[in-house]
Amino acid sequence: MITINNISKSYNSKVAVDQLNLQINPELFVFLGPNGAGKTTTIKLLTGLLRPDAGHIQLNGHDIQIEPLAAKRQFGYAPETPALYEKLTPFEFVRLILAIYQIPTAIGVTRMEQLFDIFELNDHQNSLIEELSNGMKKKISLIAALVHQPKILILDEPTVSLDPKAVRHLKEIMRGMVLRGSSVFMSTHILEVAETMADRIGIIDHGKLAALGTIEELRASFHVDATLEEIFLRLTGEASSQKIDEFLQ
Amino acid sequence: MILPLLKITLYKSFALFRTGRKIKPIKSILPLLAMSILPVFIILRAREMFEAWLLVPQLGASFMLSFLSSALLGLFVVLILSGFPHAFYYLYLAPDLSLLAALPLAPRTIFLQKFIEMSLMGCGAFIAVGLPLMISMIWVLGGIIRAYFLLLLLFPLYVIIAGAISALLSMALAAFLNVRRIRRFFVYLTGLIIILVWAGLQFLRLSRLNPLSDDFDADMVSRFSSFFANMKFSAFPSDWLLQSIYSTAIREPERMIIPFLCLAITAAVLTRLVVLIRARSRDFSNPEIGRVFPAHPHRHSKGKLFASLFQKEMTLIFRDARVLQSYWIITAMILVWPFIQQRQAMSSIESGIDLLPFLGSLLLISLFAGNMARQTVPNEREAFQYLLSAPISIRRVLMAKLLAQSALFAGMSTVNVWLTAYRFHLFIADALVLWLCMVFCVVIGLVVGQTIGVLFGNYHWQDPRQMLTPGWNYLSPLVSILFCGLGLAIFAALWQVNQIVAFLIFFAYVGGVFQFGIMVSAKKLTKLEWI
């Protein structure tokens, strides 16, 4: 369970996250928002990569600032850009992750082999990461987040660069983890994923939570039978058709 | 179309000196000042030597010209060999090649820009060594301003010819071999060349050619004279450059026309050839290498986290050509050092003062250790966010880094002490004392270097070389030497009183520096924000 209690974060004078409150239960929570709205900042605050100016974050009851190691043991994290150790092989990288999370060898290796198989990386597990494509790097990053079977999964734009088959497998894994009691917090720009998969959706704009609820609750609050795209655009501001027309001319 | 591309090349070159944040003008000058130390030193020393040669009738201007011609020829060969890694990178592996290929630009334009970029990056050795030698020559010949200007105009042609030869040979190799693999080989080869040149200069000692020096060796000068007499320098671009500048400096400009034309035409023809041949292949993509590393047995289980971190450090060191090349160079310097040490054989280390002859090697290894250690955290690059967001103490990460490097430096120290003991007939006990001191100095250097790297980093994760602020880049060796020197001074002072106490106090000092360094570094990194 993730509890975000009144957190704020500013970069110099720019407010990135403004008094955000959220509680994520064992569910698949999708965080939406335009570029620069504060999604990645929120995720970095959740993972301890940034410190909040105010507020608290608890991961399964452990405050990320007060008990960082205990809190970090709760989650698996895949960043938006999979910056990995380029001079290691996927096998070596995931083995390092297993050692960090102190997963017993037999269990860890079985899981690693299963995930390499699911994401079709078997043939590349002993090549240098620097020689792999972006999509493959993204898969390795996801495997590293999943291999220790965390209670909380934090994914920043997980579907970017993935092929449709891998996206499908990832969706199934996320759904399966939620059914087994894990919390999944993911940010995405792909509204179809949010619409079809999310138990709840949060929409952030200019650092503030603009909407929160299930897709039905969001529709109800707007009193329309609208698609998620229409709700999203209404909340975050539509692009001016006039400007597009001017550009096209 | 080439102009906008060259503008980008220029911006990229300037970006090497940027730190990414606003700094005071005085601080921005610091790196330039530090970089000018070697050229200024060469200018002053070479001027003194050239002036002395001109005063000796048997030597005179012809000896100076022959010396310069051979030096520039040597440099030309070094430029060609060190140009291979640049050629493979800029003409085949540069990440922006695919972007440029997708733009409406002719392949010739793209590769011309890449070739210019490559030549720019490869001219460092000439600017550091060749240019100062030429400036010294113009200076002793009367310092005519026109000659200096001409030098600035012509040296790029010399560099371009060397670069073009590297590029042509690289393209020939790339037709048959894997580019990444062959580039890695040449990176190591370049390291080896630097080592050989350095070692050669240590044994040669140019002061032996200086008639004003106490070391002056008349036999050596005569050997050089006969060597020069047998060489046909005029066939090489190095001599064309030299003759052009020399003729201008002695106010005989008509004599510079032929060498100048040779230089200009060769540079133009070779550049054209490089661009045409590379553009013909039209293969912009980065060739995949498909290197496969065997998966080692899964021996890391619960409780062996530190071993995993240590293994990761070692793997990263041995697979990163840039880091490994630095270790090659340092290893060679450490191993050559006992042979260039000038000291009297001594019976044993009986007092602190007896350590004095070894002070150079002790401080040198500490300095090298510091220089390597300050890059360890930056070398993590953006992957460091995995460790920051993982349930692992940063203290452990730092200790694993130090242990990996200590292992490498301890190996170097062992061989160095063994060679020193062999050469100077040290007793085993004295060699052991020296070895322990060296290991202590290594640990001090590593901890101080790593701490400076962490505390004064810019945190430019994309480029580890830009990580330290310019001032600290040049101050950190001094700090390593200072801490190491202090420890050695305490040890030497206590040695006469009681040898065991001296060791214990030195050990405690090293332990204190280690604890303090790890503590402040871990504190800083734990609080680091990953923006």
Side-chain angles (χ1 to χ4, degrees):
Chain A
M1 192 161 74
I2 305 171
T3 309
I4 299 173
N5 193 2
N6 219 21
I7 55 159
S8 297
K9 180 70 187 172
S10 303
Y11 300 118
N12 299 322
S13 58
K14 189 185 177 297
V15 179
V17 175
D18 192 6
Q19 296 182 327
L20 184 69
N21 285 292
L22 269 176
Q23 174 136 336
I24 318 294
N25 303 312
E27 61 180 326
L28 203 159
F29 182 83
V30 175
F31 208 35
L32 300 175
N35 293 330
K39 297 188 299 296
T40 298
T41 301
T42 306
I43 284 178
K44 285 182 176 176
L45 289 164
L46 283 178
T47 53
L49 288 172
L50 289 175
R51 285 196 311 281
D53 299 333
H56 300 280
I57 293 168
Q58 287 197 332
L59 300 149
N60 282 346
H62 301 282
D63 191 304
I64 188 79
Q65 295 304 316
I66 297 167
E67 309 168 82
L69 295 191
K72 285 173 183 177
R73 246 173 239 124
Q74 306 302 316
F75 66 81
Y77 164 55
E80 183 181 0
T81 315
L84 309 163
Y85 291 103
E86 301 272 313
K87 300 287 178 191
L88 295 185
T89 64
F91 176 87
E92 290 163 344
F93 178 68
V94 179
R95 195 179 56 182
L96 174 70
I97 298 291
L98 286 172
I100 289 174
Y101 286 87
Q102 303 190 344
I103 306 294
T105 310
I107 300 170
V109 169
T110 309
R111 285 186 202 160
M112 175 164 63
E113 282 167 358
Q114 287 168 339
L115 285 167
F116 278 139
D117 198 27
I118 291 169
F119 287 106
E120 297 179 336
L121 280 176
N122 279 331
D123 293 343
H124 303 281
Q125 59 173 306
N126 294 320
S127 305
L128 281 187
I129 290 174
E130 69 178 2
E131 289 159 8
L132 303 180
S133 68
N134 279 338
M136 287 181 190
K137 288 179 186 173
K138 189 79 181 188
K139 286 177 181 178
I140 299 162
S141 168
L142 288 168
I143 290 172
L146 293 165
V147 75
H148 52 97
Q149 292 196 341
K151 281 281 163 203
I152 296 169
L153 191 59
I154 301 170
L155 307 173
D156 196 355
E157 301 282 0
T159 52
V160 170
S161 308
L162 289 186
D163 57 69
K165 203 198 258 182
V167 172
R168 176 67 183 266
H169 291 330
L170 179 64
K171 283 179 182 175
E172 284 175 22
I173 290 171
M174 287 193 294
R175 182 50 63 201
M177 286 180 71
V178 170
L179 285 173
R180 284 165 182 76
S182 296
S183 307
V184 178
F185 184 105
M186 88 181 236
S187 78
T188 185
H189 284 298
I190 302 173
L191 300 179
E192 179 269 328
V193 173
E195 202 159 12
T196 56
M197 287 201 64
D199 293 317
R200 279 196 306 152
I201 295 166
I203 299 177
I204 187 171
D205 192 26
H206 293 100
K208 281 185 178 292
L209 196 62
L212 177 68
T214 61
I215 184 76
E216 289 77 22
E217 285 168 351
L218 291 182
R219 281 186 186 129
S221 65
F222 282 85
H223 309 290
V224 285
D225 190 20
T227 61
L228 183 58
E229 184 180 73
E230 285 164 332
I231 295 169
F232 179 83
L233 291 175
R234 217 181 263 191
L235 280 167
T236 58
E238 287 189 57
S240 161
S241 302
Q242 192 190 340
K243 285 179 189 169
I244 296 169
D245 286 339
E246 281 170 15
F247 166 73
L248 290 172
Q249 280 161 18
Chain B
M1 284 310 274
I2 188 72
L3 282 178
L5 292 179
L6 288 180
K7 218 166 155 182
I8 292 169
T9 304
L10 210 63
Y11 290 156
K12 276 160 110 177
S13 310
F14 283 128
L16 292 175
F17 298 98
R18 281 193 215 138
T19 61
R21 61 183 174 195
K22 281 183 187 171
I23 52 172
K24 289 175 187 168
I26 185 71
K27 279 191 176 175
S28 63
I29 297 169
L30 266 178
L32 290 172
L33 282 177
M35 278 193 290
S36 61
I37 291 173
L38 178 67
V40 169
F41 175 77
I42 294 175
I43 289 173
L44 297 175
R45 292 297 300 274
R47 178 183 160 255
E48 181 194 301
M49 194 163 68
F50 293 165
E51 275 181 341
W53 288 346
L54 291 179
L55 291 174
V56 179
Q58 293 93 327
L59 301 175
S62 65
F63 187 81
M64 179 180 73
L65 280 179
S66 301
F67 170 82
L68 278 170
S69 219
S70 62
L72 290 180
L73 181 59
L75 200 58
F76 189 69
V77 175
V78 171
L79 284 179
I80 291 174
L81 291 172
S82 63
F84 279 92
H86 289 303
F88 287 121
Y89 179 78
Y90 286 100
L91 299 179
Y92 290 92
L93 302 171
D96 58 343
L97 266 178
S98 22
L99 170 72
L100 292 172
L103 296 174
L105 291 168
R108 285 180 199 181
T109 312
I110 294 170
F111 288 114
L112 178 61
Q113 184 239 359
K114 286 287 148 206
F115 178 65
I116 292 170
E117 214 166 270
M118 173 201 145
S119 303
L120 252 178
M121 291 301 143
C123 67
F126 186 82
I127 291 175
V129 181
L131 207 58
L133 285 174
M134 298 294 283
I135 290 172
S136 307
M137 181 194 75
I138 301 171
W139 194 351
V140 297
L141 291 173
I144 179 169
I145 298 292
R146 204 167 49 231
Y148 291 116
F149 278 116
L150 194 70
L151 176 61
L152 288 178
L153 282 175
L154 295 194
F155 95 79
L157 299 178
Y158 164 86
V159 174
I160 280 173
I161 294 172
I165 294 171
S166 310
L168 289 169
L169 294 172
S170 302
M171 287 188 285
L173 288 171
F176 306 102
L177 298 166
N178 183 284
V179 171
R180 285 177 198 269
R181 194 170 291 172
I182 195 78
R183 178 175 179 255
R184 201 172 295 123
F185 167 77
F186 274 102
V187 168
Y188 296 139
L189 186 71
T190 309
L192 194 67
I193 293 162
I194 295 169
I195 293 163
L196 290 175
V197 169
W198 178 83
L201 286 174
Q202 298 311 309
F203 289 114
L204 180 69
R205 294 211 317 280
L206 287 176
S207 57
R208 287 154 75 187
L209 295 175
N210 187 350
L212 299 177
S213 163
D214 295 337
D215 282 350
F216 180 65
D217 183 346
D219 282 349
M220 196 172 166
V221 172
S222 72
R223 279 203 301 275
F224 263 88
S225 297
S226 50
F227 167 75
F228 292 152
N230 294 326
M231 284 293 289
K232 295 269 178 279
F233 290 118
S234 57
F236 298 104
S238 43
D239 199 62
W240 304 337
L241 173 71
L242 182 66
Q243 293 301 337
S244 305
I245 305 299
Y246 178 72
S247 312
T248 312
I250 59 169
R251 294 177 175 79
E252 291 180 15
E254 67 283 356
R255 278 177 56 190
M256 62 99 52
I257 294 170
I258 291 175
F260 167 73
L261 285 176
C262 288
L263 202 62
I265 292 168
T266 311
V269 169
L270 287 179
T271 304
R272 183 91 178 141
L273 259 177
V274 169
V275 172
L276 279 179
I277 294 173
R278 185 63 191 95
R280 267 183 74 179
S281 80
R282 292 185 179 236
D283 175 20
F284 285 87
S285 63
N286 299 347
E288 291 293 334
I289 184 166
R291 267 207 305 172
V292 172
F293 292 88
H296 297 295
H298 320 294
R299 53 178 182 272
H300 297 298
S301 56
K302 195 172 180 178
K304 292 199 175 172
L305 167 61
F306 194 79
S308 287
L309 289 171
F310 176 79
Q311 195 180 358
K312 179 208 105 189
E313 290 304 323
M314 283 302 208
T315 311
L316 291 180
I317 288 172
F318 282 99
R319 287 202 194 141
D320 190 326
R322 193 176 60 83
V323 175
L324 196 59
Q325 189 193 43
S326 304
Y327 271 106
W328 267 64
I329 294 168
I330 289 172
T331 307
M333 286 180 169
I334 297 287
L335 300 191
V336 168
W337 191 262
F339 296 102
I340 56 171
Q341 254 177 314
Q342 297 295 305
R343 60 181 287 280
Q344 299 296 315
M346 41 171 267
S347 54
S348 66
I349 299 172
E350 283 167 1
S351 68
I353 209 85
D354 290 336
L355 275 172
L356 215 54
F358 306 111
L359 191 65
S361 48
L362 293 171
L363 294 180
L364 187 79
I365 203 160
S366 166
L367 184 145
F368 286 145
N371 271 355
M372 292 310 292
R374 71 182 187 196
Q375 298 176 27
T376 51
V377 174
N379 275 341
E380 287 274 324
R381 297 180 187 243
E382 289 176 273
F384 196 55
Q385 63 179 304
Y386 283 96
L387 294 183
L388 284 179
S389 63
I392 181 174
S393 143
I394 292 297
R395 199 183 156 84
R396 277 185 155 191
V397 175
L398 294 174
M399 281 168 70
K401 286 181 178 300
L402 286 179
L403 187 68
Q405 291 184 96
S406 300
L408 295 173
F409 273 98
M412 290 179 212
S413 305
T414 308
V415 183
N416 174 286
V417 171
W418 183 76
L419 290 172
T420 308
Y422 174 76
R423 187 167 177 226
F424 299 113
H425 313 293
L426 291 185
F427 292 122
I428 292 175
D430 295 330
L432 196 64
V433 170
L434 184 62
W435 183 78
L436 277 171
C437 287
M438 202 168 263
V439 171
F440 284 172
C441 288
V442 162
V443 175
I444 294 172
L446 288 174
V447 175
V448 170
Q450 189 179 72
T451 309
I452 288 174
V454 169
L455 292 187
F456 304 100
N458 282 318
Y459 292 100
H460 277 195
W461 295 102
Q462 291 87 358
D463 186 358
R465 285 169 296 184
Q466 298 271 311
M467 197 62 140
L468 265 191
T469 52
W472 277 105
N473 246 329
Y474 302 103
L475 277 177
S476 67
L478 293 179
V479 182
S480 294
I481 287 175
L482 194 76
F483 271 85
C484 185
L486 185 63
L488 286 170
I490 295 168
F491 176 75
L494 291 170
W495 182 255
Q496 277 158 293
V497 182
N498 187 313
Q499 297 175 355
I500 294 171
V501 171
F503 262 117
L504 287 176
I505 299 286
F506 196 11
F507 183 74
Y509 174 77
V510 175
V513 172
F514 184 88
Q515 279 295 333
F516 181 74
I518 290 277
M519 188 185 72
V520 292
S521 305
K523 199 172 171 187
K524 165 97 185 203
L525 289 174
T526 309
K527 287 186 174 176
L528 187 73
E529 291 206 292
W530 196 271
I531 295 171

